[in-house]
Every structure is written in C-alpha cells, then in structure tokens.
Amino acid sequence: MNESSLLQRFSERINALKKLPKIQENKSIPELLEEKGFSRRDFMKWASAMTAVLSLPATFAPTVAEAAEVADRLPIIWLHMAECTGCSESLLRTTYPTIDSLIFDYISLEYHETIMAAVGWQAEHNLEHAIEKYKGRYILMVEGGIPTGEHGGYLTIGPHGQTGLKTAQKASEDAAAIFAIGTCSAFGGIQAAAPNPTGSVPLSEVTHKPVINVPGCPPSEKNIVGTLLHYILYGTLPALDAYNRPKWAYGLRIHDLCERRGRFDAGEFVEAFGDSYAMDGYCLYKVGCKGPYTFNNCSRERFNDHTSWPIQAGHGCIGCSEPDFWDTMGPYEEPLADRLYETVFGGLGADATADKIGMGVLTAVGIGIAAHAAISSIKNPKE
Amino acid sequence: MANHETKTLMEREKEFSASYRWQHWIRAFSIVALTFTGFYIADPFITAEPNAEPTNFLQAYMRGWHEIIGWILVAVFFFKAYLFLFTRNHRGELESLKDLTNIQVWKQQIGYYLLIEKHPKLKGIYNPIQFAAYAGFYLMLIGIIVTGLILYVHTTHVGLGAMLYEPMRALEVMMGGLANVREIHHILMWGIIIFVVGHIYMAVYNAVFGKDGAMDAVFSGMKWKHEDH
Ligand code: HEM
Ligand code: SF4
Ligand code: SF4
C-alpha cells in the first residue's frame, strides 16, 4: 500500500471513530493533556516518537496524534489474571506522568481493577455491564496467565468467586480485539514455569479468538500504547511474527539493535560484573545476556520515555519476552551453555550442564574404549 | 569355507569411490572446525587482542567461519544423501539394510566385539551395529543442520536467510523458542563428538584386527578382500 492511500485509510478510520460518542462525557484527551501541563508541542513530539515506533513515515505524525486523540472512543476492558500487576505498573507508575500513562489512565476506565474506584458487587456489575453494553466493540486487554488446574480453581475473582478462566473466556467472546499484555498472558509467564503447579496457560489457549501477544516482563509502555494506536489506525490486527507478536515491535532480536553489538562482534566481553571491561561498556554475553535469543525492541525504544534499559544499565537481557523464559533462559548471569539440568541420581547431577554431561559421557566412552582395546590385544577377536 | 591354499590369497577390491572419500574427509574437517568455532560461540574463551582502533572482529570471524563451514557441511550432506540413494556404485550401503534386519547377524556381530564369536558374513558393506550408529549419526547431523539453519536466519536477513526465514521460524516455535534451539544445537554437537570418538576407535580396531584394510579404503578407495568371504 503506498503512503497516500495508507494515509487516506487512516483518516477514514479516525473520522469514523470520531463520530462515535465518547465513553466518558467529560474532557477530551487534548484538554486533559493541557490540564496536566503538556503543551501541544510536547504532544506532537510524543506523536512523532510513536510514529517512528510503529515504523510509519515521519509525515504520519499528525495522523498518529489524531488517532491518540480519538482513543477515548474505544471502550477498553482490562482483566487481571495470575500476575503481579507489573505490566499495569510499568505503564502507569512512571517517574512523572508521561503522555502514554495519561492517555492510558484516561481511556482504560471502563474496567481495570487496579485503577477503578468500584469494588465488590459494584465492580462485578461494571464488568458485566461493560461487556453487555459494548458487545463486539470493546478492546480486551488481559494481564496474567490463566490458571486451569482444578478447573481454574487457583484463581477466583469477585463476590461470586468466578474463576479467572471463565471470566477471561467470557470477556474474549464479544471483544473486537484481544491483546495479551505481558509474558504471563502471552505465554504463561513465571507461574507457568516448571512444574507449573496451577496449570497456568497463555490466554490464546483458552479462547478460540485471535489473540495479539504483547509479551515482556513487563512490556514497555510504548509497546502497549503502540498496539492500541496501531489498532485505532488500521482497524485490523497487525502483521504478526511466529508467536503472534506484532512485527513492528518484536520483529528483531534485542541483539540485532543493541548498542553493545560492536563489542560482541569484536569479541570483547565483560568477564565479571564490575570489571574494567564492564566500565568500558563491553558486551554482556559472557555474563549471561540472552539478547541473541530474544525478540523485542528494548534496544531501540528503551523504557521510561527512552531513558534507559537493562543492557544500558549494565545487566544482560534475561529474555523476558520469549515463551517459557523462566525455564529456557537460565542461568541469567551465565551463557546459555551453562544451563543446569534437573538430573536425578539423588541430586548428584544437580549442577550438570550440557558440557559437563558431555565430558562425563566422553570420559566413560574413553574408558570403555581403552578397556576394550586392552582386552582385545590380549585375547584377539576371532578370525 | 574355502580350502587352505586360497585362504591367504587376497584380492584388491574397490570399496569407496572417490566422491565418497572426498565427502567423507570434507565432512570430517568441517565437523572439527565447526566444533572449535561452535565452542567459541557458546562461550567465547579467547580474549580478543586489545586494540585501540575499532577493527577487532573476533566473534564475527568465528561466527562467519562457522556459518561458511556450516554451509559446506549442508552441501556435503546433500551430496552424500544423493550418493546413498541414487548411485549404483554405492549400492553396498543400501545392501547393508538386509543385514540390519537379520537378528542372527546382530547376535554374531555383538559376539564378535565381545571377542566370543567370529565376524558374521555380511551382504552389504556395513555391519548392523555400524549401520545403526551411522543412522544415528545422520539423524544428529540433520538435527544440527536444521537447528543451525534456524540460528542462521536470524544472523542474515537477506538471500538464503530471507528465503528460509518463515519455515525456520515455524520450526523454532515447535522447538520452544530460540534459546532451546541453541541448546539442542549444542547438545547435538556433543552427540556428534561422542560418535566421532567411537567411530575412529572402531575404524582403527577393524584396521588392526580386521586386516582387510577398510581403514585404507577411506584414503585410497581400495580394500583387501578375503577370498573366502
Ligand atoms: C557438526 C556440526 C556443528 C557443530 C558441532 C556446531 C556447533 C555449534 C555450537 C556449539 C554453537 C553454540 C551454541 C551455544 O550457544 O551453546 C553453534 C552455534 C551456531 N551454529 Fe553451529 N554447529 C554445527 C553445524 C552448524 C550448521 C550446519 C549451521 C548452519 C549454517 C550452523 C549454524 C550455527 C549458527 C548460526 C550458530 C549461532 C551463532 C550466533 O547466534 O551467533 N551450525 N554451533
Ligand atoms: S549485550 Fe547482549 S544483546 Fe547486546 S550485543 Fe552483547 S549479547 Fe547481544
Ligand atoms: S532487555 Fe530483555 S529482559 Fe529486559 S525487558 Fe527487554 S526483553 Fe525483557
């Protein structure tokens, strides 16, 4: 699609949304931002940054700004499942209120357990009401894995003690779009790590509707808001990678755009935290960086309004946006080759890595060969 | 069993063709080089020469050679598969399948290595233990090539890397993510190292005790044939 027809398509979409009533009949988003002390200029700067995040040409910035302004036309339901609320926190509890957090705070009010005022029966009623009223129109964002063990009994919410499983399934049924926010919701996350006692599964496994995964522990505010803006602009689900993650955010590995990549290729590695190489900003591979196996845009977008990110701060990536990262990425401060295997032998092999097991087997083979050769040279094989 | 006069007579017979021998040695050297560069990639144990200019590329060279030699290994693998399946003068390998399904030959072969039985008479050129070990080796080779290619498409996004990208990503999902792919690649390397050690021992063993020159054959192509076989 060429630029002008894409722009045309976006404008039509925004105009259609503009005609819809606002969910809350109070301030508009531009008014809200102004009240919080953001100038129009700040807002346009933010919109330009978002345009770049979404890999759109710079000339699209005004359109992206418009899309953000109509974000309050979309009802959003945000559910909390088995999680730590870190994803919501990452978005809302920034050092100072950012445009991302303000917009989000403003639009998500339909139902969001962390920030809504209602409790108990009232909260339950609000959720049912929202699902009913905005049937087929609302955007569902789910944070957290879905425990399925004991028929979902490991997670019950609200006065009726309804299981999270049932709530998630019901809310998914009539949603216009479903975003699984965070690694727990996208892949099961930490509570799904072996041995996964609660039987936690990704949202996509309990609903037959398409789910867009926005993993990360937590995902950056840009990826959450970007997914929403993308939906407002295109009206369809974004291009996805093999794990249903939007390609604009998860198309490349951390390693591909890492600021320390030059050091990696040069073979210059930090050997231990705090050594002189660490001070020189060498690559963190040998102290456990999992950037080469992790798809995300942290190296490009960073966190907290582009302030910093783990590798800049001196610790390797732990692979938080990959499936089963808790099981597959450890140990976090050593290279993958040092992964530990849960071996039996009464714990004898508890610190076995592939290399140690390999050397062990090789030694056994060596001894076997030596013995066989020795015996054969005494007692020759039969002709 | 033939009579005593002919017992010592031996005849030179062509065991391995030139193409067979070439692929064998190219593959052997690639495996050695891939293991070395592979260990480096897994845990870079050589510290790059300090250099004030940004002209160090140690990891990049290691990775580059690993990938180049990796592709050579892929090419040789296809060539070998062609020789095995479609060429007439490598029928001896396929013939070994007949021994593979013969329990008696298995028993006798195991007995031979336990030094309690005579070497069985074989229809093909590989004994059943050997054939099973080779089959295992080829499975590991396929595994390491596939996982290697999955890793490869993320290092090069153009050309072959681009062509293979989608199918390799589907396989990556089946293996549970790129970290697992790396780990499987690494474990298969150990499997291959252990095979190679056993393989070299058995080759030497048969050269010493078999006295038919199968070891020479992979260098020169020729093998000594006992008249009575
Ligand atoms: C006998 C054959 C091979 C051996 C022993 C071998 C060994 C290894 C090892 C040990 C690693 C490091 C894994 C880790 O981090 O633990 C590795 C990485 C890798 N191998 Fe191989 N490999 C072989 C064949 C291949 C082939 C056929 C390819 C395909 C072109 C390939 C491509 C790669 C790539 C792309 C990487 C990752 C490099 C990176 O991410 O920087 N390998 N290999
Ligand atoms: S710090 Fe991590 S992501 Fe960055 S170049 Fe090194 S290994 Fe890659
Ligand atoms: S750098 Fe790695 S571990 Fe950190 S947030 Fe990004 S993907 Fe997750």
Side-chain angles (χ1 to χ4, degrees):
Chain A
M1 199 180 283
N2 66 29
E3 261 178 49
S4 59
S5 63
L6 191 60
L7 206 56
Q8 172 88 29
R9 175 170 161 196
F10 288 170
S11 306
E12 279 166 17
R13 187 64 201 143
I14 291 168
N15 285 335
L17 283 174
K18 259 189 197 149
K19 292 204 190 83
L20 294 173
K22 282 199 289 181
I23 306 297
Q24 319 274 326
E25 264 317 322
N26 41 23
K27 287 185 245 21
S28 67
I29 286 181
E31 281 164 3
L32 169 90
L33 290 175
E34 208 180 305
E35 188 191 297
K36 299 283 178 188
F38 285 101
S39 66
R40 184 74 193 160
R41 201 179 134 76
D42 294 329
F43 181 55
M44 290 315 291
K45 262 164 72 185
W46 174 87
S48 311
M50 280 319 291
T51 312
V53 171
L54 291 172
S55 319
L56 290 170
T59 48
F60 278 51
T63 316
V64 172
E66 265 189 86
E69 284 169 7
V70 298
D72 57 355
R73 309 299 208 277
L74 286 177
I76 291 184
I77 295 176
W78 181 297
L79 296 179
H80 292 271
M81 296 284 130
E83 41 86 339
C84 67
T85 314
C87 300
S88 294
E89 295 284 331
S90 119
L91 188 55
L92 301 172
R93 285 294 178 245
T94 40
T95 7
Y96 52 91
T98 60
I99 294 180
D100 305 274
S101 63
L102 285 176
I103 292 182
F104 208 78
D105 208 352
Y106 191 68
I107 54 174
S108 69
L109 286 179
E110 213 38 53
Y111 185 86
H112 186 301
E113 284 154 17
T114 315
I115 52 181
M116 68 191 182
V119 291
W121 296 103
Q122 180 67 51
E124 189 89 345
H125 173 77
N126 285 0
L127 178 59
E128 277 164 19
H129 179 73
I131 292 177
E132 202 47 51
K133 180 162 172 208
Y134 302 111
K135 212 172 186 146
R137 270 182 56 206
Y138 62 87
I139 293 178
L140 178 67
M141 296 202 177
V142 178
E143 186 180 348
I146 322 288
T148 55
E150 306 282 350
H151 307 289
Y154 285 105
L155 174 69
T156 57
I157 309 167
H160 294 296
Q162 198 176 59
T163 62
L165 174 65
K166 198 152 171 231
T167 312
Q169 279 170 333
K170 204 169 138 224
S172 301
E173 213 46 55
D174 298 314
I178 308 174
F179 304 142
I181 303 295
T183 299
C184 300
S185 178
F187 301 127
I190 291 174
Q191 52 278 321
N196 192 358
T198 62
S200 278
V201 298
L203 178 65
S204 55
E205 276 182 30
V206 301
T207 171
H208 54 89
K209 303 204 59 175
V211 175
I212 306 307
N213 289 331
V214 188
C217 193
S220 71
E221 73 279 14
K222 288 273 183 294
N223 286 359
I224 302 176
V225 174
T227 305
L228 182 66
L229 279 183
H230 191 288
Y231 179 74
I232 294 177
L233 286 170
Y234 287 85
T236 55
L237 303 177
L240 301 174
D241 82 346
Y243 279 113
N244 273 8
R245 299 175 288 204
K247 274 191 182 155
W248 59 263
Y250 301 88
L252 286 173
R253 298 175 302 169
I254 295 291
H255 188 61
D256 293 324
L257 294 171
C258 175
E259 61 221 25
R260 301 191 188 218
R261 178 60 186 263
R263 299 297 191 179
F264 176 86
D265 282 347
E268 298 172 337
F269 300 98
V270 172
E271 299 289 332
F273 288 110
D275 68 4
S276 67
Y277 296 148
M279 284 169 216
D280 291 343
Y282 281 16
C283 165
L284 298 160
Y285 181 83
K286 285 182 84 170
V287 285
C289 182
K290 302 300 184 295
Y293 328 112
T294 307
F295 294 81
N296 207 336
N297 55 359
C298 313
S299 36
R300 191 175 53 197
E301 305 306 337
R302 310 184 188 172
F303 281 76
N304 288 334
D305 251 5
H306 219 81
T307 308
S308 184
W309 65 299
I311 288 175
Q312 185 179 343
H315 193 285
C317 165
I318 63 169
C320 77
S321 55
E322 287 293 298
D324 300 323
F325 80 104
W326 205 254
D327 296 323
T328 63
M329 298 287 175
Y332 289 140
E333 292 174 354
E334 282 172 64
L336 199 63
D338 290 344
R339 184 193 290 175
L340 298 176
Y341 288 91
E342 293 177 67
T343 43
V344 274
F345 314 125
L348 257 186
D351 57 352
T353 65
D355 288 347
K356 280 191 195 160
I357 297 172
M359 278 314 287
V361 177
L362 199 59
T363 315
V365 170
I367 295 171
I369 286 178
H372 192 246
I375 298 169
S376 305
S377 64
I378 300 166
K379 180 184 184 302
N380 276 346
K382 300 201 172 180
E383 279 287 311
Chain B
M1 179 80 53
N3 61 38
H4 284 271
E5 284 94 70
T6 56
K7 173 110 203 270
T8 48
L9 268 184
M10 279 183 164
E11 200 178 285
R12 274 192 106 195
E13 156 185 86
K14 188 131 177 131
E15 169 97 342
F16 297 126
S17 65
S19 25
Y20 183 100
R21 282 174 286 135
W22 274 102
Q23 68 81 25
H24 176 268
W25 289 109
I26 293 175
R27 196 170 58 196
F29 287 116
S30 337
I31 289 175
V32 172
L34 285 165
T35 305
F36 177 76
T37 49
F39 268 122
Y40 174 84
I41 293 170
D43 196 348
F45 50 83
I46 307 169
T47 309
E49 193 73 18
N51 179 355
E53 302 288 314
T55 50
N56 260 348
F57 291 108
L58 184 59
Q59 209 288 347
Y61 278 127
M62 287 282 193
R63 192 174 73 241
W65 280 113
H66 189 87
E67 285 161 14
I68 292 164
I69 303 168
W71 278 110
I72 294 177
L73 185 75
V74 173
V76 176
F77 175 83
F78 280 116
F79 181 63
K80 177 68 219 284
Y82 163 76
L83 291 184
F84 177 71
L85 292 172
F86 302 115
T87 51
R88 181 171 292 176
N89 54 354
H90 300 91
R91 267 291 115 94
E93 293 189 287
L94 273 177
E95 290 290 308
S96 311
L97 275 171
K98 291 185 188 144
D99 299 319
L100 193 70
T101 47
N102 186 336
I103 303 271
Q104 206 46 46
V105 179
W106 269 97
K107 277 194 193 145
Q108 219 182 326
Q109 189 65 44
I110 294 170
Y112 175 74
Y113 287 131
L114 294 176
L115 315 173
I116 52 175
E117 280 217 57
K118 286 192 181 177
H119 201 287
K121 293 202 169 101
L122 299 175
K123 293 202 171 68
I125 60 170
Y126 302 138
N127 75 54
I129 297 181
Q130 194 180 11
F131 196 95
Y134 289 180
F137 169 69
Y138 282 107
L139 287 180
M140 292 193 288
L141 214 52
I142 292 171
I144 211 159
I145 286 174
V146 169
T147 49
L149 292 179
I150 299 174
L151 292 166
Y152 178 80
V153 299
H154 295 297
T155 62
T156 313
H157 296 100
V158 290
L160 268 173
M163 274 161 60
L164 292 172
Y165 190 82
E166 291 301 332
M168 289 303 138
R169 287 225 75 178
L171 290 173
E172 177 190 323
V173 171
M174 280 163 62
M175 294 183 194
L178 207 51
N180 271 354
V181 172
R182 264 258 200 157
E183 197 64 14
I184 296 169
H185 196 71
H186 194 110
I187 292 168
L188 287 171
M189 173 184 72
W190 274 108
I192 289 174
I193 293 176
I194 286 158
F195 165 83
V196 167
V197 170
H199 175 64
I200 295 173
Y201 173 66
M202 291 321 293
V204 175
Y205 187 89
N206 282 312
V208 173
F209 296 110
K211 297 193 183 89
D212 62 356
M215 184 80 156
D216 300 352
V218 80
F219 293 99
S220 69
M222 303 310 247
K223 164 177 178 164
W224 296 104
K225 186 182 161 98
H226 289 274
E227 276 290 278
D228 55 354
H229 270 201

